Amino acid sequence: MNTEAVISVLVFLFVMAAIISEKVHRSVAAMAGAVVLLLFHVLSIDEATSYVDINTIGVLVGMMLFVAVVKNSGLFEYVAIKAAKLTKGRPMAIMVVFAVITALLSAFLDNVTTVLLIGPMTIAITQMLEVNPIPYLLSQIMASNIGGTATLIGDPPNIMIGSAAGLSFMDFVINTGSVIVIIMAVTVLIYYFMYRSRISVVRENMQKVMELDEDRSIKDKPLLIKSVIMTVVVVIGFVFHSQLQVESATVALFAAGFMLVFGKQDAEEIILGVEWSTILFFIGLFVVVGGLQKSGVISSMAEVMISFVGDNQALGIIIILWVSAIISSFLDNIPFVATLIPLILTMESSGVDVAPLWWALSLGACLGGNGTLIGASANVVLAGVSAKNGYPITFMQYTKVGFPLMLISIVISMVYLLLRFA
């Protein structure tokens, strides 16, 4: 290994250690690592910026701005209350419907935003029913990660994979969305049979849910109408962005720009609502992984992978899927995916058919987040919301439910990928 390779590996390991320990904020760790690479001339400024995936950054910023405006309309609260009333206040029906809503929203919105919108409403409704909200919240945590796996924009790893591999929104819907429907159905059924005998509600409490007025949740009707129209436009834009020959970032930024101009909201408040720390984390991480690429470390790793897997496509699928899932259960999946993307691209340049490996990486990294309470940001955030309302979720309490269900989802994914590609 040359000096540049040694420095880039040490910086990468330092950043990963800092992220895992949580003693240093992940954004600070990633940006510090990027700066060290610049100081030691592993990368120049121009080289560093060339490794930043602008399309991924654009999608993230655009969708964060768009959601920040839309949520001020009260649209999400309206949907939650309307759904609860459609179940007639039946507790298990509410669990199933809210899990499905969470999965659908997570397919198009950031998972953290989704659980922050649905979680508080769930707690409020379960308090009316006088039942423990934890089973409901656990199902929503898992649903958010499952739903996010289905589309290009549902989870940051998918945005990164789609941008690097040139995959469209419909590519994800066809290749991951189809198996996600099966996984979601199996997960919901398991939750139903696990909790149906443990949750009972008196009729008077069910009536309290029926007395909720969803119309009172609407904060700004003109904004609500614009939000619904633009949501439809955004979905259409993502579905047909490849045919329209525009990047997914263009669709997201257009939606954000439109809502900022015509939504008539406080622009400062909306802009401050963007998770800028996450954006900085992505930028720093792209540069750190760029150091590994520039110094030849990624190429060496790809050569080892090719020599091990050879022409055995099934073995490659299994390795990528299971390694991604297990690692993503305990570590942030974004650094892992950022490292594997250039490795898979290098394998592709060597003549390997990597199409199935992209889907194995997506399914493994995204679904693996369901394994433990720290497996994904949505898990940690919703657990925090639950604890603040007096319902703490412990690591083991979650893992006893989440890890087995994660393993089931990965087994289903493996069977699907092997039947389809191997």
Side-chain angles (χ1 to χ4, degrees), residues 61-93:
V61 172
M63 290 308 294
M64 286 178 182
L65 287 168
F66 178 72
V67 173
V69 177
V70 171
K71 71 179 182 181
N72 285 345
S73 68
L75 173 63
F76 302 113
E77 291 88 343
Y78 178 89
V79 171
I81 294 172
K82 192 74 173 175
K85 291 178 70 174
L86 287 173
T87 67
K88 307 296 183 184
R90 291 171 293 176
M92 289 311 300

Side-chain angles (χ1 to χ4, degrees), residues 334-346:
I334 295 170
F336 176 77
V337 171
T339 308
L340 254 67
I341 283 174
L343 187 149
I344 294 175
L345 288 173
T346 304

Side-chain angles (χ1 to χ4, degrees), residues 51-284:
Y51 285 112
V52 177
D53 190 333
I54 300 300
N55 187 59
T56 297
I57 300 299
V59 171
L60 290 169
V61 172
M63 290 308 294
M64 286 178 182
L65 287 168
F66 178 72
V67 173
V69 177
V70 171
K71 71 179 182 181
N72 285 345
S73 68
L75 173 63
F76 302 113
E77 291 88 343
Y78 178 89
V79 171
I81 294 172
K82 192 74 173 175
K85 291 178 70 174
L86 287 173
T87 67
K88 307 296 183 184
R90 291 171 293 176
M92 289 311 300
I94 289 175
M95 178 184 286
V96 171
V97 170
F98 271 42
V100 171
I101 289 173
T102 301
L104 288 172
L105 287 176
S106 294
F108 298 97
L109 307 179
D110 172 64
N111 291 359
V112 171
T113 301
T114 300
V115 296
L116 282 174
L117 293 168
I118 301 297
M121 289 299 303
T122 302
I123 292 172
I125 289 171
T126 52
Q127 285 176 339
M128 288 182 185
L129 295 172
E130 297 182 13
V131 297
N132 186 351
I134 290 179
Y136 295 77
L137 298 177
L138 293 180
S139 69
Q140 287 164 27
I141 287 173
M142 300 201 72
S144 71
N145 293 317
I146 293 170
T149 313
T151 68
L152 169 69
I153 59 170
D155 220 3
N158 282 3
I159 299 172
M160 297 162 69
I161 292 167
S163 183
L167 299 169
S168 71
F169 186 91
M170 287 308 297
D171 288 332
F172 276 89
V173 171
I174 293 167
N175 290 283
T176 60
S178 52
V179 72
I180 285 304
V181 172
I182 298 170
I183 291 170
M184 187 63 196
V186 170
T187 303
V188 167
L189 278 173
I190 290 172
Y191 265 99
Y192 180 80
F193 287 111
M194 279 176 61
Y195 292 108
R196 65 173 181 170
S197 61
R198 305 186 202 178
I199 300 175
S200 60
V201 177
V202 298
R203 187 168 297 278
E204 290 78 9
N205 291 338
M206 292 168 62
Q207 188 58 37
K208 291 179 185 177
V209 173
M210 297 304 297
E211 291 171 359
L212 290 170
D213 184 1
E214 62 271 23
D215 292 331
R216 293 182 62 183
S217 65
I218 299 173
K219 304 167 189 173
D220 187 330
K221 193 166 184 178
L223 180 61
L224 178 71
I225 295 169
K226 294 171 189 172
S227 298
V228 171
I229 293 171
M230 277 308 298
T231 299
V232 174
V233 170
V234 167
V235 172
I236 294 171
F238 280 125
V239 170
F240 295 104
H241 75 91
S242 57
Q243 289 89 334
L244 296 171
Q245 296 184 337
V246 296
E247 298 291 342
S248 51
T250 305
V251 176
L253 292 170
F254 165 75
F258 182 93
M259 294 304 289
L260 281 170
V261 172
F262 297 104
K264 298 180 181 179
Q265 301 297 297
D266 185 335
E268 290 283 345
E269 178 189 334
I270 298 301
I271 292 170
L272 289 173
V274 172
E275 297 173 44
W276 292 110
S277 62
T278 299
I279 303 303
L280 290 175
F281 170 62
F282 270 93
I283 293 171

Side-chain angles (χ1 to χ4, degrees), residues 367-385:
L367 294 174
N370 276 333
T372 70
L373 195 58
I374 59 172
S377 299
N379 309 17
V380 178
V381 169
L382 194 50
V385 171

